Amino acid sequence: MNRVFIKTYGCQMNERDSEAVAALLRARGYAIVDDEAAADVVLLNTCSVRDQAEQKAIGKAGYLKRRRRTNPRFVLGVMGCMAQNRGRDLLDQLPDLDLLVGTQKFHLVPDHLDRIIESLAAQGPRPATIVDLAAEEGSQNTIRDHLPQEKRVSAFVSIMQGCNMSCTFCIVPKTRGEERSRPIEAIVEEVEGLVAGGVREVTLLGQIVTSYGRGTIPDRAGKSPFVQLLERLEQIPGLARIRFTSPHPRGFKRDLVEAYRDLSKLCEYIHLPLQSGSDRMLRAMNRPYNVTLYRRIVDDLRAVHPEMYFSTDIIVGFPGETDDDFTATREVFREVGYDMAYIFKYSIRTGTPAATLPDQVPQEVKEARNQELLALLEAQSLRRNQALVGTVQEILVEGPGRRPERFTGRNRGNRVVHFPGSDRLIGRLVPVRIERATVSSLYGLPEVEAIHEIAGGPASAEPARHSA
Ligand code: 5AD
């Protein structure tokens, strides 16, 4: 009666929220299971960024509710962004939900589940859906528990919640509420705890991390609260790498560029959402920067790190996007030479300003523009990977790959690398000579001599075996 399966849709923030809910449930005596079919409770942690993501979760919930026919005690809940976005109206479509929990109430899921399971055990009539969607002061501080996991090398750390921007396409300010940041000390403590448990790399998460601490933590010596946080994390012994997502071009100031120069743990990989390469579109999207400013940030970063890796978010087919606007996007895409990108076809989000704009772009046009950028991305990604062939990359070893004796890890640029290895390398920084490249992966051999030096030998690393 207490096996819980959590299915997560959407972004890394959602993944992190699910993980924290799982940790709380486990502490309450629930078992977290990987097998949906074996679960007594299924929780869907949902995404609202595009209609497709919402439809997927609704479809899933509709399918799952049939489990009640054979197991009347089966519990089904919807959490997160879609719960917040649709609210009670969601019950018109999904009247069978036991639980509907918003983005500021994740920490109360164990209490709610306890209540539901108790009443089902009492075998009375099924209790009404528990709906908990209100805003809660301080809820940014409730996402802090991690599931203890053996050999986990990399972890997400939520540093803030919410978004104060008003991009005309975006539902997130509604689903995630206003910006609220956690204190620096609390984050440092969390990361120290993770490192003590074996974590070597953290990815700091926030809707707009460049706004971290604004209004609550003063600038110091010309440094924003976010850069102050990065500097503190740099000092944590045992932590090897720091990443974050996502910054906003508007808040990307000199202090952050200099952090890339000065902080050795900050990986030279950045996800910097562009959305469009047309100033006219950026204005219509209410994105407060222009392409010139964006290019300047890219140039500044390349000046401190010539090998910097760039990733981005692009929306194609925003209302009114002409061929010329799209061409401008394609040109910036090519010029920056993105190594990675998330390309979205514009999706109408009811209640946002862009939803009612005239000149909605036909689906086929969105599709064609999407395909064009995907093809460009593939070429650029392959070119970057090919350029790495013959170099030695510092790989943080994450774990075994799919093939026997194959291990995987990432270089500082977040490229996935496969190589022969052993369990003993997990969590270590290992130099790997890259021998082969595809669009999405690199293949190489550990440099065994150098492992001795880095790992403080005698390397338990077995000599590289050539299985490829
Ligand atoms: N349609 C398509 N993509 C969207 N995004 C946000 N809202 C929409 C929408 N309505 C994309 C943006 C954002 C990413 C997380 O999702 O590119 O950066």
Side-chain angles (χ1 to χ4, degrees), residues 8-16 47 176 207:
T8 308
Y9 298 85
C11 65
Q12 292 145 323
M13 183 74 83
N14 288 5
E15 279 177 46
R16 175 70 195 101
C47 170
R176 289 284 178 171
Q207 265 75 34

Side-chain angles (χ1 to χ4, degrees), residues 406-427:
R406 284 272 168 185
F407 279 69
T408 70
R410 285 165 201 267
N411 77 349
R412 287 176 58 100
N414 217 25
R415 309 306 273 195
V416 175
V417 183
H418 305 279
F419 50 91
S422 74
D423 276 345
R424 292 186 246 223
L425 294 182
I426 294 174

Side-chain angles (χ1 to χ4, degrees), residues 36 111 178 230 262 336 351 436 461:
E36 182 185 300
D111 291 347
E178 301 222 323
L230 293 175
D262 299 336
V336 176
R436 190 160 67 82

Side-chain angles (χ1 to χ4, degrees), residues 11 47-51 167-172 207 246 271 273-275 285 287 312-316 318 342-350 352 354 366:
C11 65
C47 170
S48 288
V49 157
R50 285 169 298 152
D51 187 52
C167 301
T168 53
F169 51 78
C170 192
I171 198 72
V172 169
Q207 265 75 34
S246 299
H271 178 73
L274 170 70
Q275 310 298 1
M285 291 174 170
R287 300 275 299 176
T312 199
D313 286 342
I314 302 278
I315 297 177
V316 294
F318 184 83
Y342 301 87
I343 301 155
F344 301 94
K345 288 171 271 183
Y346 172 70
S347 168
I348 292 179
R349 309 288 53 223
T350 307
T352 61
K366 290 182 194 172

Side-chain angles (χ1 to χ4, degrees), residues 146 153-159 187-188 190-195 199-205 230 233-234 236 239-245 265-267 396:
H146 288 263
V153 169
S154 187
F156 292 132
V157 174
S158 166
I159 64 168
I187 298 165
V188 170
E190 179 178 334
V191 175
E192 284 171 344
L194 287 167
V195 170
V199 165
R200 308 293 315 277
E201 173 185 272
V202 291
T203 302
L204 310 178
L205 301 179
L230 293 175
L233 298 175
E234 169 85 8
I236 296 177
L239 181 66
R241 291 178 171 180
I242 304 168
R243 305 181 185 280
F244 59 79
T245 193
K265 296 179 183 177
L266 192 55
C267 291
L396 176 58

